[in-house]
Amino acid sequence: MNIWNPVRITWLHRANPVVKLGLIFALFFMTVLTHDLDFMMYQALVFMVCLVVLSGVKPWKMLLFFIPFLLAFISSSSSMMLFGKGETLWWEWGLFRVSEESFYRGLHLGFKGIAFASEGLLLVTTTSSVDLFYSLMQKLRLAPKYAYSFMASIRLLPMVWEEFVIRRQALKVRGVRPIRGVRDMVNRAGMYVVPLLAQSIRRAHRVAAAMEAKQFNGDQVKARTYYYPSRYSRYDLLVIGLLAAAACCAYVAAGYFPWFGIGDVRFD
């Protein structure tokens, strides 16, 4: 059982995947074009709250997502702080040089990474791959041969991993010693790569033949019916209004409650 399965269904789960995809792209562009540090910080906070509330995942599990968020924030911001350029020097030691400009740009870069991650996870945690590709086929006219190919490849990945585990156990039963070191890994690669590649080619050929027999190429049958119809609903309007309100709240909070008050981090 997947530990990331939601325990409750929210508005974002019920919205059309194409609408959510368009909203996330719009949020990405807003985040990319944001150069105000306070606005960027509030974006990261607001969308982290939206992720916790709208994902439907238990809060203690969502905290596991925030661990790589914190690591990414520290790594990206510290790199910009220690090696960035600036005129107002705060501290210098050897190759490390921290200035006022590099410090604020590092914070801006760290908050931007958190905002990107939160926005992306809003889509990933509330949308299944099957629903997304069905919606792309029906609403955006994505060719079925591409959509079903992606869905088939996603389904085949666990099978490849299972074959790898079986192969490793079989070699262990036959007395092959465990891999130790990089050189041993390179020398032993042939025992894994060749069988796994052969099995993957045979499985891909069977899937391709089955898809062609069912006319999933999309060239001969234009009017295709779908078992899972993708429709627009009132939840799309609710999600649009909710995420737009979240972005507006971040903008208003940056204007009325600035933490840094330096404006554009580019210092033009």
Side-chain angles (χ1 to χ4, degrees):
M1 183 177 179
N2 190 356
I3 64 172
W4 304 116
N5 286 337
V7 295
R8 57 187 176 84
I9 303 300
T10 63
W11 292 351
L12 203 57
H13 290 85
R14 296 187 175 95
N16 191 283
V18 168
V19 175
K20 288 187 285 186
L21 185 63
L23 287 174
I24 296 303
F25 273 117
L27 294 178
F28 279 168
F29 279 112
M30 181 188 69
T31 304
V32 168
L33 299 177
T34 299
H35 303 291
D36 185 275
L37 179 57
D38 292 301
F39 186 28
M40 193 70 261
M41 182 196 68
Y42 280 110
Q43 280 188 46
L45 293 177
V46 167
F47 291 123
M48 284 178 64
V49 172
C50 291
L51 179 62
V52 173
V53 174
L54 298 176
S55 65
V57 180
K58 290 183 178 180
W60 71 268
K61 294 180 180 178
M62 190 56 63
L63 289 176
L64 298 178
F65 276 132
F66 294 153
I67 295 176
F69 284 10
L70 180 62
L71 295 177
F73 177 84
I74 294 175
S75 60
S76 59
S77 60
S78 60
S79 299
M80 179 62 72
M81 291 176 185
L82 296 175
F83 302 102
K85 297 180 180 179
E87 297 179 356
T88 306
L89 184 63
W90 284 358
W91 177 76
E92 185 177 10
W93 182 71
L95 297 176
F96 305 117
R97 188 176 186 272
V98 179
S99 64
E100 180 183 6
E101 293 84 356
S102 65
F103 177 79
Y104 288 128
R105 287 169 183 166
L107 288 179
H108 178 265
L109 184 61
F111 287 130
K112 184 170 289 191
I114 292 178
F116 276 131
S118 301
E119 293 161 2
L121 287 175
L122 276 175
L123 178 66
V124 173
T125 56
T126 59
T127 309
S128 67
S129 58
V130 175
D131 293 337
L132 177 60
F133 284 111
Y134 267 100
S135 184
L136 289 174
M137 283 189 290
Q138 298 176 42
K139 301 303 182 183
L140 298 184
R141 304 304 179 188
L142 179 66
K145 60 182 178 181
Y146 299 123
Y148 284 109
S149 298
F150 277 112
M151 286 191 285
S153 62
I154 293 174
R155 296 292 185 181
L156 291 178
L157 288 177
M159 298 181 185
V160 175
W161 173 253
E162 184 179 359
E163 288 182 357
F164 173 78
V165 174
I166 293 174
R167 181 68 178 173
R168 184 176 58 185
Q169 294 173 349
L171 291 175
K172 187 182 297 185
V173 170
R174 294 175 183 177
V176 178
R177 61 183 180 85
I179 297 176
R180 295 185 178 89
V182 178
R183 181 177 299 179
D184 199 6
M185 183 184 299
V186 174
N187 296 332
R188 197 75 61 80
M191 295 184 179
Y192 291 94
V193 174
V194 176
L196 292 178
L197 183 61
Q199 288 286 353
S200 299
I201 292 175
R202 286 195 290 265
R203 184 178 292 108
H205 181 267
R206 292 196 298 266
V207 172
M211 290 178 65
E212 186 175 358
K214 295 294 184 179
Q215 296 182 350
F216 283 132
N217 54 10
D219 297 330
Q220 300 177 2
V221 180
K222 299 298 183 182
R224 175 177 293 277
T225 58
Y226 296 95
Y227 187 77
Y228 299 105
S230 179
R231 301 185 179 92
Y232 297 116
S233 65
R234 65 181 185 276
Y235 295 106
D236 301 331
L237 297 177
L238 291 174
V239 171
I240 292 174
L242 184 62
L243 294 182
C248 291
C249 287
Y251 182 78
V252 172
Y256 284 95
F257 306 102
W259 282 32
F260 304 97
I262 62 172
D264 196 331
V265 294
R266 294 175 295 182
F267 294 95
D268 290 337

